[in-house]
Structures are given as structure tokens and as C-alpha cells.
Amino acid sequence: MTGIDGTDGLDRRLVDAFVRLGYGMRSSARRTAREHGLSRLQQHVLLALDRPPQARHEVAALAAEFGVATSTLSASGTALKRKGLVTRSPDKDGRRRVLALTEAGKEVARALSTQDDPLMAALAGIREQDRVTTLRTVLRMITDLESAGVVGATRTCPSPSGEGSPGLQPRFDEDRHDTDDGRRRL
């Protein structure tokens, strides 16, 4: 395939660009989590609890969203509870466990939510029509990769506006569990 600048390898350049963005965002997420004494899974749990819908606050629903075993998410919730960042209680029917942010957890979630600011600022410099096209293209790629079993199913909104979308969520190794100090153990 001939690239937009007349060179071969447009697809390779796109893959390299996605990989570079992924490395940068993961590095930023790790750094932000570490600054708050959290594992990446704990970080993403706090961010998820800070957004609707309420059904996402169930331990089993969060585990499914992040692609981890319920026991892994439960261990993360226990660590967050010990840190005073979440509470854990039964839901209305008493069968499922629901996590909720404490005031301290809300403060940490607000601080964590700024980790995407550099990416948001970079996107702001791109024309809206180009962002809409990019979103559609990336969502189609994600769907194809989900069908191929390369990435786990995530809850994303195909709407160009992205309204109601919790965003793309990372998947975590289900054989690892979070410790209180934010490290991971087998």
C-alpha cells in the first residue's frame, strides 16, 4: 500500500503510532497510580466508580468490564477499603457486593481523572470532523479485534459524540492480585 506521503507502509506506520500512544498512556497511568499508592486495577476501579451507571459499581460487573476474575476484583476492592477509599455493601437483593467511593476516594478519583488531560489537549487541536472519523475508525478496529479474540469486549459507545461511553478499559491479568501497597503478586 502506498502511504499518504508516497511511501510504502502506511499500515505499519499506523500500527507503530497506536503502539506508541498505548505505551505513553500506560506509562502515564502507571505513574499516576504509583503517585497515589495504587495498582493500575485499583486506579481503574476508582475511576469507574466515579462515573455512572450505578450498575457498574457491582464487583462482578466491574470484574467483567476489566476482564479479571471476580476474586481479583474483590481483592482489589478489599485493598481499596483498607485504604479508606471505598465502602463495600450488599446490593438491594443482598446477593451482590457493591462498591462506593468514600469522600477520600472521590478526591483521589478526581486527581486520577486528570491523567488523560495531555491526550485531551492533543485532541482539542484536531478538527472535529477528523476526530469523528478517527473515532469511527478506531471503534471499527476494536470491534474487529474483539471478534478475532485479540482484545476483550469493552463497553464503548459507537456514537461519534461518545455520550454514555465509559471509555476503553484495560484488561488485567486474572492470575495476579493486588496487595495493599499497590504491588501485584501471583
Side-chain angles (χ1 to χ4, degrees), residues 130-142:
D130 292 340
R131 291 192 317 259
V132 168
T133 300
T134 301
L135 177 61
R136 286 183 181 141
T137 302
V138 170
L139 289 175
R140 188 173 65 220
M141 291 171 58
I142 291 168

Side-chain angles (χ1 to χ4, degrees), residues 4-78:
I4 56 175
D5 62 358
T7 61
D8 291 334
L10 176 62
D11 291 346
R12 177 78 260 158
R13 291 176 63 206
L14 281 167
V15 168
D16 290 346
F18 280 121
V19 168
R20 188 169 179 190
L21 278 173
Y23 285 149
M25 294 309 296
R26 277 191 304 278
S27 176
S28 176
R30 276 193 299 271
R31 186 174 41 257
T32 305
R34 202 171 32 248
E35 288 170 0
H36 293 280
L38 303 170
S39 70
R40 286 188 58 227
L41 180 56
Q42 291 170 358
Q43 174 187 37
H44 288 287
V45 167
L46 290 179
L47 289 168
L49 293 175
D50 198 36
R51 298 184 199 114
Q54 185 68 29
R56 291 180 73 212
H57 298 191
E58 294 175 4
V59 171
L62 287 165
E65 183 171 328
F66 294 132
V68 298
T70 302
S71 60
T72 300
L73 200 291
S74 184
S76 216
T78 298

Side-chain angles (χ1 to χ4, degrees), residues 132 135-136 139-140 143 155-163 165:
V132 168
L135 177 61
R136 286 183 181 141
L139 289 175
R140 188 173 65 220
T143 298
R155 295 176 48 210
T156 59
C157 176
S159 162
S161 71
E163 289 183 26
S165 172

Side-chain angles (χ1 to χ4, degrees), residues 80-176:
L80 289 168
K81 183 178 179 187
R82 281 191 204 121
K83 294 175 183 187
L85 301 176
V86 301
T87 60
R88 184 189 310 226
S89 59
D91 71 352
K92 292 175 186 171
D93 68 9
R95 295 182 301 155
R96 292 180 285 256
R97 305 307 267 166
V98 177
L99 299 177
L101 292 174
T102 62
E103 286 305 314
K106 289 176 186 176
E107 287 179 31
V108 172
R110 277 191 292 274
L112 292 172
S113 69
T114 64
Q115 74 183 17
D116 294 336
D117 286 355
L119 184 57
M120 296 296 283
L123 287 169
I126 298 172
R127 289 182 323 137
E128 182 177 6
Q129 182 178 353
D130 292 340
R131 291 192 317 259
V132 168
T133 300
T134 301
L135 177 61
R136 286 183 181 141
T137 302
V138 170
L139 289 175
R140 188 173 65 220
M141 291 171 58
I142 291 168
T143 298
D144 292 347
L145 292 171
E146 286 174 350
S147 295
V150 175
V151 296
T154 55
R155 295 176 48 210
T156 59
C157 176
S159 162
S161 71
E163 289 183 26
S165 172
L168 299 177
Q169 299 297 332
R171 294 185 59 82
F172 298 90
D173 180 353
E174 36 184 76
D175 296 325
R176 295 180 175 262

